[in-house]
Amino acid sequence: MTGLALNCTINKKSLFDRKHYFYADLPAGYQITQQRVPIAVNGSLAYSLVVGQKRKEVVTKTVRIKQIQLEQDSGKSLHDDSRSQTLIDLNRAGVGLMELVMEPDMCCGEEAATAVRELQLILQALGTSQANMAEGQLRVDANISVHHPGDPLGVRTEVKNINSARFLARAIDYEIERQMAVLESGGVVMNETRAFDFKSGLTVPMRDKEGLQDYRFMPEPNLPPLIVYDRQTVPPNADPQLVINVDWIREQLPQLPQMKRRHLVEHYGLLPEHSITLVNEDGLMDYFVSVVQETTTEPKKVVGWIIKDLLALLKQHSLNVSQSPISPSSLAELLNLLEAGKISSSVAKLVFQELWRGTGRSASQIVQEQDLSMVHDRSAIQQICQAVIDSHQEEVRAIQGGNKRVLNRLVGLVQKEVKGRADPVQVRAILEEKTS
């Protein structure tokens, strides 16, 4: 499924190999992997970056997938420097995992982190992995080298077992700077394995990287080849439970992140950068769709409230979408009040803050209890406008002298008197008439 989602060629016959090396976290002394003929090859992963000074330009880039292979996981070494000892956790040793190998098509930490985040979303959409990096369900080894344009790729280092996209970006960017500094000072970049220390933001050496010749690859004698089929090659009368039909799996693929973003842009008229945010934040697209279904407000305005107001507060309080104190129905009700002209935009912001406090009251109840409905009585608004004019004669003279910007101050003072419950367009029109 993952291979098909990443546009790979699926090898109908893939082979298993033994990769020999002695290391404490691999008690067998070898690892079963797929070095010669892996299950999937020659794929690609497209990912979208938001760039530009105002972060409004979307650029789509592609990284080639060299191969996807099945192999055994190793154990985990826990280094205790204070006691000069290493503890071994063998719980994962021998457990099967899927490894994706990408080609060196990325040039900075942000690109790599964005590509890994896209991979994460694809795996979650497919159900092939929950891909929670913090829990070790998805780990990244980053191979980094630097070179002058036109020169061959430089000597690479490998930063192992990075467990968050943010740390991945930081580790790569640090390593690029470190390697350039080494070369510019006349030094040599070592082909070595390093670890990223997230507290210091540095990478530190782990052990010398073994060369390929040390692995002594050989065909795995205990595992037969892995055979998969398509419609043309599936054996007649084969039990569907006992054979893998690639064509059938291809037909079962769900909607992938890029398709979801395209749907948001084409169906709801959203900007590409907003579609990226909605799909990349877990649960945010479903939240958006639920609000749109319950409100008369146009989708572009809905997405503004969700990204600028709701998501900003969620991030500020380190909450995910499922923990939001404001349900889609509550936000839809608030937007309906605003759309119907029953409250002003400034009042809507106040009600939104009240909803965030999670008191259990609806938007309508908050508006009623705090008397926040729009003032539609024109004569009452005219009286307040006149009172503001009478007490601010200096501003009136400035307006009459041609400084129209001062009018904004008078509009603000009127809105303050009515707690933001008057239509600002109407207030401006009355003030313009009275000061002309």
Side-chain angles (χ1 to χ4, degrees):
M1 285 182 80
T2 306
L4 292 171
L6 294 173
N7 312 300
C8 291
T9 299
I10 307 298
N11 283 321
K12 302 284 175 25
K13 179 180 181 181
S14 57
L15 307 173
F16 291 96
D17 305 280
R18 280 192 188 185
K19 176 181 180 180
H20 293 85
Y21 62 94
F22 178 78
Y23 203 63
D25 56 17
L26 198 72
Y30 62 86
Q31 178 188 41
I32 299 175
T33 183
Q34 291 192 304
Q35 188 245 352
R36 291 169 296 159
V37 186
I39 192 165
V41 294
N42 301 333
S44 63
L45 167 65
Y47 59 98
S48 298
L49 284 165
V50 183
V51 298
Q53 283 187 328
K54 295 185 178 177
R55 308 286 292 173
K56 288 193 173 178
E57 187 187 341
V58 175
V59 176
T60 299
K61 298 198 169 192
T62 302
V63 55
R64 290 168 296 153
I65 307 290
K66 182 182 179 183
Q67 64 193 58
I68 299 177
Q69 66 207 36
L70 294 170
E71 66 180 33
Q72 286 179 314
D73 205 346
S74 58
K76 186 177 179 183
S77 300
L78 302 160
H79 304 292
D80 184 349
D81 292 335
S82 62
R83 297 185 184 180
S84 299
Q85 65 179 17
T86 297
L87 304 174
I88 307 293
D89 175 355
L90 293 175
N91 281 310
R92 288 200 315 243
V95 174
L97 61 77
M98 174 172 65
E99 180 169 279
L100 290 88
V101 182
M102 297 181 182
E103 298 284 10
D105 296 337
M106 296 172 283
C107 66
C108 65
E110 184 186 11
E111 285 191 10
T114 307
V116 166
R117 177 64 182 133
E118 185 71 10
L119 175 63
Q120 211 174 6
L121 292 169
I122 290 170
L123 294 171
Q124 289 165 349
L126 296 171
T128 52
S129 172
Q130 292 175 319
N132 184 324
M133 293 187 77
E135 292 179 10
Q137 294 163 346
L138 171 65
R139 305 193 297 278
V140 180
D141 299 339
N143 288 277
I144 304 135
S145 68
V146 298
H147 64 109
H148 289 289
D151 288 354
L153 295 176
V155 175
R156 64 185 168 94
T157 59
E158 183 176 23
V159 184
K160 298 285 284 184
N161 286 328
I162 303 169
N163 65 355
S164 94
R166 193 161 53 89
F167 292 164
L168 174 65
R170 285 174 57 197
I172 289 172
D173 289 340
Y174 169 80
E175 189 60 16
I176 290 170
E177 293 297 323
R178 186 192 72 82
Q179 290 187 22
M180 288 198 298
V182 167
L183 294 172
E184 284 167 5
S185 64
V188 176
V189 174
M190 301 295 292
N191 177 213
E192 62 184 354
T193 306
R194 299 176 74 88
F196 178 65
D197 182 347
F198 69 91
K199 289 177 184 169
S200 66
L202 311 177
T203 65
V204 292
M206 288 172 66
R207 63 173 189 261
D208 287 342
K209 181 76 177 159
E210 303 106 316
L212 273 176
Q213 68 277 11
D214 292 339
Y215 289 142
R216 303 190 316 283
F217 282 103
M218 61 173 271
E220 169 54 49
N222 293 332
L223 285 178
L226 175 60
I227 309 291
V228 298
Y229 301 92
D230 57 20
R231 280 204 184 87
Q232 278 73 47
T233 58
V234 67
N237 307 318
D239 184 345
Q241 299 296 318
L242 299 179
V243 296
I244 301 296
N245 186 328
V246 175
D247 291 329
W248 183 82
I249 293 173
R250 186 181 279 109
E251 288 165 7
Q252 308 303 312
L253 289 179
Q255 191 181 41
L256 297 174
Q258 284 283 33
M259 299 177 211
K260 291 179 182 177
R261 294 189 196 100
R262 196 175 303 125
H263 175 73
L264 288 170
V265 171
E266 292 172 0
H267 186 73
Y268 296 105
L270 303 187
L271 294 170
E273 62 266 27
H274 289 161
S275 74
I276 290 171
T277 304
L278 288 180
V279 172
N280 287 23
E281 292 290 335
D282 191 28
L284 202 60
M285 180 177 167
D286 292 338
Y287 188 103
F288 164 78
V289 171
S290 298
V291 174
V292 168
Q293 286 171 347
E294 294 185 49
T295 183
T296 53
T297 305
E298 63 176 64
K300 281 184 179 179
K301 289 182 183 174
V302 173
V303 86
W305 278 86
I306 287 176
I307 291 175
K308 290 177 186 169
D309 297 277
L310 181 73
L311 187 59
L313 278 172
L314 289 171
K315 287 196 175 297
Q316 194 179 318
H317 293 87
S318 300
L319 298 173
N320 56 42
V321 176
S322 63
Q323 296 169 307
S324 170
I326 304 176
S327 68
S329 299
S330 296
L331 182 56
E333 184 191 1
L334 172 62
L335 296 181
N336 285 337
L337 292 172
L338 179 60
E339 193 69 17
K342 293 180 180 177
I343 58 173
S344 68
S345 55
S346 55
V347 163
K349 298 285 183 188
L350 289 173
V351 176
F352 183 85
Q353 293 295 334
E354 281 293 315
L355 289 171
W356 178 264
R357 291 190 185 97
T359 57
R361 293 174 298 161
S362 68
S364 301
Q365 288 171 326
I366 293 166
V367 168
Q368 196 173 349
E369 286 170 19
Q370 299 187 19
D371 191 22
L372 296 172
S373 296
M374 287 286 272
V375 177
H376 293 294
D377 185 344
R378 186 177 172 85
S379 62
I381 295 171
Q382 282 180 320
Q383 283 180 353
I384 294 165
C385 287
Q386 190 61 54
V388 168
I389 286 169
D390 291 344
S391 57
H392 293 83
Q393 284 300 303
E394 194 177 319
E395 281 86 348
V396 172
R397 282 192 291 276
I399 293 165
Q400 290 169 343
N403 189 349
K404 297 295 182 187
R405 289 171 67 183
V406 179
L407 193 68
N408 293 335
R409 175 166 157 71
L410 296 186
V411 172
L413 290 165
V414 172
Q415 289 288 25
K416 191 175 178 184
E417 287 294 318
V418 296
K419 296 181 188 170
R421 295 179 301 144
D423 178 1
V425 176
Q426 187 183 36
V427 170
R428 178 176 285 276
I430 293 169
L431 287 171
E432 282 175 344
E433 186 186 318
K434 287 182 177 292
T435 56
S436 60

mmCIF file of all heavy atoms in Angstrom, residues 21 23 25 77 158 160 191-194 204-210 215:
data_model
loop_
_atom_site.group_PDB
_atom_site.id
_atom_site.type_symbol
_atom_site.label_atom_id
_atom_site.label_comp_id
_atom_site.label_asym_id
_atom_site.label_seq_id
_atom_site.Cartn_x
_atom_site.Cartn_y
_atom_site.Cartn_z
ATOM 1 N N TYR A 21 26.779 -7.816 10.909
ATOM 2 C CA TYR A 21 27.660 -6.921 11.669
ATOM 3 C C TYR A 21 27.457 -7.221 13.142
ATOM 4 O O TYR A 21 26.380 -7.614 13.580
ATOM 5 C CB TYR A 21 27.412 -5.442 11.353
ATOM 6 C CG TYR A 21 26.048 -4.887 11.670
ATOM 7 C CD1 TYR A 21 25.773 -4.243 12.885
ATOM 8 C CD2 TYR A 21 25.016 -4.958 10.728
ATOM 9 C CE1 TYR A 21 24.536 -3.698 13.150
ATOM 10 C CE2 TYR A 21 23.763 -4.409 10.991
ATOM 11 C CZ TYR A 21 23.531 -3.783 12.211
ATOM 12 O OH TYR A 21 22.296 -3.245 12.472
ATOM 13 N N TYR A 23 27.037 -5.978 16.736
ATOM 14 C CA TYR A 23 26.731 -4.812 17.561
ATOM 15 C C TYR A 23 25.874 -5.291 18.714
ATOM 16 O O TYR A 23 25.066 -6.219 18.563
ATOM 17 C CB TYR A 23 26.015 -3.728 16.729
ATOM 18 C CG TYR A 23 26.176 -2.357 17.336
ATOM 19 C CD1 TYR A 23 27.443 -1.778 17.455
ATOM 20 C CD2 TYR A 23 25.086 -1.658 17.826
ATOM 21 C CE1 TYR A 23 27.608 -0.533 18.034
ATOM 22 C CE2 TYR A 23 25.250 -0.412 18.409
ATOM 23 C CZ TYR A 23 26.506 0.143 18.505
ATOM 24 O OH TYR A 23 26.679 1.376 19.093
ATOM 25 N N ASP A 25 23.275 -4.347 20.203
ATOM 26 C CA ASP A 25 21.805 -4.350 20.173
ATOM 27 C C ASP A 25 21.240 -5.303 19.109
ATOM 28 O O ASP A 25 20.059 -5.309 18.831
ATOM 29 C CB ASP A 25 21.243 -2.934 19.983
ATOM 30 C CG ASP A 25 21.779 -2.251 18.725
ATOM 31 O OD1 ASP A 25 22.297 -2.956 17.863
ATOM 32 O OD2 ASP A 25 21.665 -1.009 18.637
ATOM 33 N N SER A 77 20.315 0.898 22.362
ATOM 34 C CA SER A 77 21.386 1.098 23.349
ATOM 35 C C SER A 77 21.113 2.359 24.161
ATOM 36 O O SER A 77 20.833 3.414 23.598
ATOM 37 C CB SER A 77 22.738 1.239 22.642
ATOM 38 O OG SER A 77 23.020 0.076 21.894
ATOM 39 N N GLU A 158 25.795 10.367 8.882
ATOM 40 C CA GLU A 158 24.419 9.902 9.106
ATOM 41 C C GLU A 158 24.021 10.263 10.534
ATOM 42 O O GLU A 158 24.691 9.873 11.491
ATOM 43 C CB GLU A 158 24.319 8.387 8.888
ATOM 44 C CG GLU A 158 22.898 7.873 9.042
ATOM 45 C CD GLU A 158 22.780 6.390 8.725
ATOM 46 O OE1 GLU A 158 23.797 5.668 8.821
ATOM 47 O OE2 GLU A 158 21.671 5.947 8.392
ATOM 48 N N LYS A 160 21.428 9.564 13.300
ATOM 49 C CA LYS A 160 20.532 8.416 13.521
ATOM 50 C C LYS A 160 19.347 8.748 14.424
ATOM 51 O O LYS A 160 19.430 9.596 15.312
ATOM 52 C CB LYS A 160 21.314 7.269 14.193
ATOM 53 C CG LYS A 160 22.475 6.723 13.368
ATOM 54 C CD LYS A 160 22.027 5.861 12.219
ATOM 55 C CE LYS A 160 21.573 4.488 12.648
ATOM 56 N NZ LYS A 160 21.234 3.635 11.489
ATOM 57 N N ASN A 191 33.334 10.178 7.457
ATOM 58 C CA ASN A 191 32.155 9.355 7.201
ATOM 59 C C ASN A 191 31.816 8.638 8.503
ATOM 60 O O ASN A 191 32.422 7.626 8.852
ATOM 61 C CB ASN A 191 32.480 8.357 6.081
ATOM 62 C CG ASN A 191 31.334 7.393 5.794
ATOM 63 O OD1 ASN A 191 31.541 6.256 5.440
ATOM 64 N ND2 ASN A 191 30.101 7.850 5.960
ATOM 65 N N GLU A 192 30.878 9.187 9.259
ATOM 66 C CA GLU A 192 30.610 8.670 10.605
ATOM 67 C C GLU A 192 29.119 8.756 10.922
ATOM 68 O O GLU A 192 28.346 9.411 10.215
ATOM 69 C CB GLU A 192 31.403 9.483 11.647
ATOM 70 C CG GLU A 192 31.030 10.947 11.683
ATOM 71 C CD GLU A 192 31.877 11.772 12.644
ATOM 72 O OE1 GLU A 192 32.695 11.189 13.370
ATOM 73 O OE2 GLU A 192 31.709 13.004 12.671
ATOM 74 N N THR A 193 28.741 8.061 11.978
ATOM 75 C CA THR A 193 27.374 8.112 12.484
ATOM 76 C C THR A 193 27.328 9.102 13.642
ATOM 77 O O THR A 193 28.183 9.071 14.529
ATOM 78 C CB THR A 193 26.932 6.719 12.976
ATOM 79 O OG1 THR A 193 27.140 5.778 11.917
ATOM 80 C CG2 THR A 193 25.472 6.711 13.357
ATOM 81 N N ARG A 194 26.311 9.988 13.633
ATOM 82 C CA ARG A 194 26.198 11.002 14.677
ATOM 83 C C ARG A 194 24.790 10.956 15.278
ATOM 84 O O ARG A 194 23.858 10.389 14.710
ATOM 85 C CB ARG A 194 26.496 12.401 14.113
ATOM 86 C CG ARG A 194 27.920 12.515 13.555
ATOM 87 C CD ARG A 194 28.186 13.871 12.915
ATOM 88 N NE ARG A 194 28.341 14.937 13.889
ATOM 89 C CZ ARG A 194 29.494 15.286 14.466
ATOM 90 N NH1 ARG A 194 30.608 14.619 14.167
ATOM 91 N NH2 ARG A 194 29.556 16.273 15.323
ATOM 92 N N VAL A 204 26.521 14.951 17.653
ATOM 93 C CA VAL A 204 27.736 14.433 18.297
ATOM 94 C C VAL A 204 28.072 13.064 17.715
ATOM 95 O O VAL A 204 27.171 12.290 17.358
ATOM 96 C CB VAL A 204 27.553 14.318 19.836
ATOM 97 C CG1 VAL A 204 27.441 15.698 20.463
ATOM 98 C CG2 VAL A 204 26.321 13.490 20.188
ATOM 99 N N PRO A 205 29.380 12.721 17.575
ATOM 100 C CA PRO A 205 29.768 11.426 16.968
ATOM 101 C C PRO A 205 29.285 10.251 17.804
ATOM 102 O O PRO A 205 29.281 10.304 19.028
ATOM 103 C CB PRO A 205 31.292 11.486 16.953
ATOM 104 C CG PRO A 205 31.660 12.911 17.206
ATOM 105 C CD PRO A 205 30.543 13.509 17.993
ATOM 106 N N MET A 206 28.863 9.159 17.130
ATOM 107 C CA MET A 206 28.472 7.929 17.826
ATOM 108 C C MET A 206 29.521 6.843 17.602
ATOM 109 O O MET A 206 30.146 6.372 18.508
ATOM 110 C CB MET A 206 27.105 7.433 17.330
ATOM 111 C CG MET A 206 25.939 8.285 17.797
ATOM 112 S SD MET A 206 24.387 7.807 16.999
ATOM 113 C CE MET A 206 24.102 6.172 17.651
ATOM 114 N N ARG A 207 29.704 6.436 16.346
ATOM 115 C CA ARG A 207 30.703 5.410 16.027
ATOM 116 C C ARG A 207 31.070 5.582 14.560
ATOM 117 O O ARG A 207 30.332 6.181 13.786
ATOM 118 C CB ARG A 207 30.138 4.005 16.281
ATOM 119 C CG ARG A 207 28.935 3.655 15.385
ATOM 120 C CD ARG A 207 28.531 2.204 15.550
ATOM 121 N NE ARG A 207 27.546 1.814 14.564
ATOM 122 C CZ ARG A 207 26.243 1.743 14.786
ATOM 123 N NH1 ARG A 207 25.760 2.086 15.964
ATOM 124 N NH2 ARG A 207 25.412 1.353 13.837
ATOM 125 N N ASP A 208 32.198 5.042 14.167
ATOM 126 C CA ASP A 208 32.581 5.102 12.753
ATOM 127 C C ASP A 208 31.574 4.305 11.920
ATOM 128 O O ASP A 208 31.186 3.204 12.301
ATOM 129 C CB ASP A 208 33.983 4.499 12.538
ATOM 130 C CG ASP A 208 35.067 5.435 13.071
ATOM 131 O OD1 ASP A 208 34.746 6.625 13.257
ATOM 132 O OD2 ASP A 208 36.194 4.967 13.306
ATOM 133 N N LYS A 209 31.178 4.875 10.813
ATOM 134 C CA LYS A 209 30.234 4.205 9.910
ATOM 135 C C LYS A 209 30.947 3.032 9.223
ATOM 136 O O LYS A 209 31.988 3.213 8.601
ATOM 137 C CB LYS A 209 29.756 5.225 8.874
ATOM 138 C CG LYS A 209 28.753 4.696 7.877
ATOM 139 C CD LYS A 209 27.385 4.577 8.490
ATOM 140 C CE LYS A 209 26.358 4.126 7.470
ATOM 141 N NZ LYS A 209 25.199 3.539 8.064
ATOM 142 N N GLU A 210 30.357 1.830 9.380
ATOM 143 C CA GLU A 210 30.975 0.686 8.708
ATOM 144 C C GLU A 210 30.754 0.805 7.196
ATOM 145 O O GLU A 210 29.681 1.173 6.755
ATOM 146 C CB GLU A 210 30.344 -0.634 9.171
ATOM 147 C CG GLU A 210 30.422 -0.850 10.665
ATOM 148 C CD GLU A 210 29.074 -0.636 11.336
ATOM 149 O OE1 GLU A 210 28.392 0.343 11.014
ATOM 150 O OE2 GLU A 210 28.725 -1.458 12.184
ATOM 151 N N TYR A 215 29.638 -5.636 5.638
ATOM 152 C CA TYR A 215 28.353 -6.271 5.958
ATOM 153 C C TYR A 215 28.258 -7.726 5.486
ATOM 154 O O TYR A 215 27.416 -8.471 5.962
ATOM 155 C CB TYR A 215 27.194 -5.459 5.354
ATOM 156 C CG TYR A 215 26.961 -4.139 6.048
ATOM 157 C CD1 TYR A 215 26.599 -3.006 5.319
ATOM 158 C CD2 TYR A 215 27.078 -4.013 7.428
ATOM 159 C CE1 TYR A 215 26.369 -1.799 5.938
ATOM 160 C CE2 TYR A 215 26.849 -2.804 8.050
ATOM 161 C CZ TYR A 215 26.494 -1.698 7.307
ATOM 162 O OH TYR A 215 26.263 -0.506 7.929
#
